[in-house]
Amino acid sequence: KALRFAWRICGHVKSNAVIFTTCDRTLAIGAGQTSRVDAVKVAVMKAASLAPDNPRPLAGSVAASDAFFPFRDGLDEVAAAGATAVIQPGGSVRDAEVIAAADEHGLAMVFTGTRHFRH
């Protein structure tokens, strides 16, 4: 349910975006960045500014990316932020590397096969 919600919200955000949600609330949005890593860092920074007393405001969240993760580093950042699952289109030549990273972090990952990529 949370991943479905995240995917729906992500479709309305300016590309390149990574967002964090629960099943009924958007927690942070990192939009319009040239890299997935930077998108995650912007989202984490925004979440931290909204919850300054919480050292891990995105712990237990899920993440959505409007386009594939081209490298594992973006997924590593998602895991470090505290997400438990991620939804993304897939389709990178490095999908196997990204899947391995998700497995290493214990992250559930869903490939949609569809890009939002809103410009």
Side-chain angles (χ1 to χ4, degrees):
K1 187 176 176 182
L3 287 173
R4 221 174 306 176
F5 177 73
W7 188 243
R8 193 168 46 242
I9 298 303
C10 193
H12 297 282
V13 177
K14 181 84 170 170
S15 294
N16 294 321
V18 176
I19 70 164
F20 292 82
T21 75
T22 62
C23 65
D24 61 353
R25 182 181 306 170
T26 302
L27 301 175
I29 297 174
Q33 304 304 307
T34 57
S35 86
R36 302 274 157 227
V37 172
D38 290 346
V40 174
K41 288 180 179 182
V42 167
V44 169
M45 177 187 67
K46 288 180 178 184
S49 72
L50 294 172
D53 296 332
N54 185 345
R56 295 203 64 213
L58 299 175
S61 66
V62 301
S65 177
D66 68 325
F68 60 73
F69 284 94
F71 304 99
R72 72 169 286 152
D73 56 355
L75 198 70
D76 292 335
E77 290 290 329
V78 166
T84 61
V86 64
I87 188 166
Q88 59 132 328
S92 169
V93 296
R94 293 184 179 86
D95 275 349
E97 179 184 319
V98 174
I99 291 167
D103 289 345
E104 287 174 28
H105 293 296
L107 280 174
M109 187 163 53
V110 173
F111 287 131
T112 66
T114 304
R115 293 175 70 172
H116 286 307
F117 221 57
R118 183 181 175 95
H119 286 285

